[in-house]
Amino acid sequence: MSSLTEEKHMVIIGAGGGVVGSCIAYFITRHPRYDRNSHSVTVLEASSIGSGASGKAGGVVATWADPSCIAPLSYRLHSELAEKHDGAQNWGFRNVHCADVDAMGEAVGHAVTEESRSHFHSHTVSKPSTKDYPPELDWVTPESITSYTELGHPANTAQVHPHLFTNKIAGLAEEQGAKFILGSAKSVNYTEDGSQAKSVTYEAKGTSNIINIHASEIVIAAGPWTTKLLPEAPIEGSRNHSIVVRPKKPVSAYVLFPELHPKITQKRIPPEIYSRPDGTIYSCGPSDTDVPLPETTDLVEFNPKVCDVIYEDVSSISEAIREGELVTKQACYRPFVVGRARNIGPLVGPTCIESLWLASGHDSWGISNGPGTGKVMSEMILDGKASSANVSSLDPRLMLQKAN
């Protein structure tokens, strides 16, 4: 690690203008030690701001998210950012209810046997009582819900529009001196003995120009593209599909994780459903590894049939979705850490190589934990240690040493 008193040229390598890289830039440029005269922050992005998972995720923010060591900090920071920068107006920040539900939809959950013509489904659960099923959840067919379990409430759960949030945070970092460059990182370069990272080589977007940036600190926040720059990192990507529907009328603020009972034996991954303050409903569904990770986020392909399945499934329990306009079909790659449970969390902190940092593998909680990651990374880089949260369990060296 470089001396805390010397000039710092910090390079953050992101993925698709990601929320993690943007938050790291934001919190570095707001850190008390940050000095625009002696510190430079460069964020290197291959495509555009919010073009990957950070623009296509659901956007739930919760104290109960994984991992527990950083989720409460992140939730508090989300609330503070919204208060400071008018998040309600600029990125749709609002507090919401969140619940697990068992649902038996018209097209998904009900089935009729050829022999007896009797209805059946895989769960036998009594219909929830009025006190369990909130009456303001008026955009889901009440008869389709067989159980309702609250996961979060407006005091500990919120949501943002991921694309708007990521772009705004990036813009706020730029206002304080961070520089965002569109270019594809090709390599991290090291000293002769390989003990310290010293520069990043990238190809400027839309050109064949190869440029080298010298840096005193390099942060890889490249999500599923992490191994292209640090092959030993145990990070992989899983493709996730999602849709956006515009209902005919406004819907109440709920995030639902429904378990839909299929009408025939088949593999079904439960969707997630988010009503959004912009008047749309977002839903994501299946993960797959059918298509290899492309070079950049703008080359990510989606399977229209998979998106159609998501639409059919969620439409089966909601007339608002069924009668709405399907406006977006899309996919993105979600980064996860190989070899450990999801609830342990991402890899955040120093690597085994001096001046090289890692902030990746956030799985489904990148939007939620972006601010917390940015905060503790700014402290580690500029103070020498994280003070806002104990993130020792996220230390990349724990997994990198296993990989070696």
Side-chain angles (χ1 to χ4, degrees), residues 11-293:
V11 176
I12 302 165
I13 305 172
V19 67
V20 173
S22 296
C23 284
I24 294 171
Y26 174 91
F27 281 100
I28 286 177
T29 57
R30 262 68 178 182
H31 191 284
R33 289 181 182 269
Y34 173 71
D35 182 351
R36 294 179 68 161
N37 294 320
S38 59
H39 296 153
S40 66
V41 179
T42 300
V43 183
L44 189 60
E45 298 293 353
S47 299
S48 59
I49 304 298
S51 60
S54 296
K56 299 174 181 177
V60 69
V61 176
T63 60
W64 45 266
D66 293 325
S68 59
C69 65
I70 201 171
L73 168 65
S74 258
Y75 181 83
R76 176 173 62 81
L77 292 173
H78 267 288
S79 299
E80 291 175 358
L81 288 169
E83 178 70 22
K84 184 176 182 179
H85 301 296
D86 194 7
Q89 177 66 32
N90 288 316
W91 58 79
F93 179 90
R94 67 177 179 180
N95 297 99
V96 296
H97 294 272
C98 181
D100 266 336
V101 298
D102 274 328
M104 189 171 62
E106 296 172 11
V108 178
H110 265 118
V112 179
T113 64
E114 289 297 321
E115 297 81 7
S116 64
R117 309 297 297 172
S118 63
H119 294 279
F120 71 94
H121 56 91
S122 59
H123 288 51
T124 303
V125 185
S126 60
K127 184 177 179 180
S129 64
T130 303
K131 65 174 183 167
D132 295 323
Y133 185 82
E136 62 270 20
L137 181 54
D138 54 3
W139 49 274
V140 174
T141 306
E143 294 77 16
S144 70
I145 304 301
T146 56
S147 73
Y148 179 95
T149 305
E150 187 173 73
L151 291 175
H153 48 77
N156 64 10
T157 309
Q159 71 177 156
V160 302
H161 189 296
H163 188 269
L164 297 178
F165 176 70
T166 302
N167 273 268
K168 184 63 177 180
I169 291 300
L172 290 168
E174 282 188 299
E175 289 178 6
Q176 292 297 109
K179 183 178 181 181
F180 284 72
I181 296 177
L182 294 183
S184 179
K186 298 301 181 182
S187 65
V188 174
N189 309 309
Y190 305 95
T191 54
E192 286 189 14
D193 61 4
S195 63
Q196 182 175 0
K198 64 176 185 178
S199 67
V200 177
T201 299
Y202 75 95
E203 181 177 344
K205 185 177 180 180
T207 75
S208 58
N209 296 336
I210 302 298
I211 301 170
N212 197 54
I213 305 178
H214 288 277
S216 58
E217 311 290 342
I218 298 170
V219 182
I220 300 177
W225 284 270
T226 294
T227 55
K228 292 184 178 296
L229 298 165
L230 190 64
E232 61 269 33
I235 305 289
E236 292 185 3
S238 176
R239 187 175 65 161
N240 281 71
H241 287 78
S242 58
I243 61 171
V244 179
V245 176
R246 185 172 297 281
K248 291 183 178 180
K249 61 180 182 179
V251 296
S252 53
Y254 275 83
V255 172
L256 301 178
F257 300 149
E259 181 76 33
L260 301 179
H261 308 311
K263 82 177 198 177
I264 59 175
T265 302
Q266 57 186 308
K267 183 179 181 181
R268 265 300 199 266
I269 295 180
E272 300 174 5
I273 309 174
Y274 301 70
S275 65
R276 284 179 164 171
D278 65 355
T280 62
I281 296 176
Y282 167 97
S283 183
C284 60
S287 300
D288 66 62
T289 54
D290 297 344
V291 179
L293 185 72

